[in-house]
Amino acid sequence: MEPRFALQSESGDRAVHNREWVGDARAATGCAGLLLAVSLAVDACDGGLNLPATLLWIALVVVLFVVLFPAKVVASPGRLTVRALWTRTTVRADRLAALRWPDSIEQRLVLTDTEGGRARVELRVLLANPPLWLLLEADARTSRENGALRDGERDLHRLERRVERDTAHSVFKVSGLR
């Protein structure tokens, strides 16, 4: 069984990234491809394909793909990078000025560094990849000790409790105690 995280060298640093990203990207591609195939097949059986309908289905599939395609999160000591389809944002995780976890349905962590860099990380990525969380937590602690983290202490504590709770639930589930 392949580990869910990986260590790789990036600029001589130890970097951790979400290994589940490949499967999520494949799933997004598969869903979009399946929708295109089914919609074109239904159109072909229902009177034949025409150019406007085909272009409309292709546009819809592209929108679906963009919505479903996951961002790849890469963390190394002092740095966290989020790579989406067309964007790449990097924050200095050891110089965090703000860490926000909004009380919303979105479940994304918003990180802002002292240099103005801003990145959004899905909570499920941190929960599924303990090495990512451990690097981020260590860098947030460094930011707090240096006095850079002025906004987000409460959200950081909430996040720590959530990770600990989810980890405990996973341990109990795997051990058969839950």
Side-chain angles (χ1 to χ4, degrees), residues 19-38:
R19 292 285 296 269
E20 293 172 340
W21 177 85
V22 173
D24 293 344
R26 264 192 217 123
T29 304
C31 286
L34 184 63
L35 176 64
L36 182 62
V38 168

Side-chain angles (χ1 to χ4, degrees), residues 8-178:
Q8 70 182 24
S9 177
E10 185 176 281
S11 308
D13 285 338
R14 183 178 52 123
V16 180
H17 64 89
N18 182 0
R19 292 285 296 269
E20 293 172 340
W21 177 85
V22 173
D24 293 344
R26 264 192 217 123
T29 304
C31 286
L34 184 63
L35 176 64
L36 182 62
V38 168
S39 60
L40 292 178
V42 167
D43 266 0
C45 292
D46 189 39
L49 294 173
N50 59 35
L51 185 61
T54 302
L55 291 177
L56 182 64
W57 283 119
I58 290 172
L60 181 65
V61 165
V62 167
V63 169
L64 177 69
F65 177 74
V66 168
V67 168
L68 292 179
F69 196 79
K72 184 173 186 177
V73 179
V74 179
S76 59
R79 187 173 311 267
L80 186 125
T81 302
V82 179
R83 297 179 191 152
L85 272 176
W86 295 292
T87 60
R88 178 181 174 160
T89 56
T90 300
V91 292
R92 291 295 313 254
D94 58 348
R95 295 183 196 159
L96 290 176
L99 184 147
R100 290 188 189 95
W101 181 19
D103 292 326
S104 68
I105 215 165
E106 190 177 11
Q107 295 296 307
R108 289 186 188 207
L109 194 63
V110 180
L111 306 170
T112 308
D113 64 17
T114 56
E115 299 166 2
R118 184 177 170 167
R120 298 169 62 117
V121 180
E122 289 186 35
L123 183 61
R124 69 175 184 80
V125 171
L126 294 175
L127 294 174
N129 295 280
L132 278 173
W133 163 246
L134 291 174
L135 278 175
L136 180 61
E137 181 186 32
D139 287 337
R141 199 174 320 114
T142 300
S143 297
R144 185 175 32 206
E145 290 167 359
N146 293 339
L149 186 62
R150 295 181 302 272
D151 184 19
E153 290 278 339
R154 185 180 68 86
D155 288 339
L156 181 60
H157 290 301
R158 275 181 48 217
L159 187 59
E160 289 170 344
R161 286 191 306 271
R162 171 74 185 269
V163 170
E164 289 170 1
R165 186 187 76 213
D166 285 6
T167 302
H169 282 287
S170 296
V171 169
F172 287 139
K173 191 174 187 178
V174 167
S175 65
L177 296 174
R178 181 172 184 253

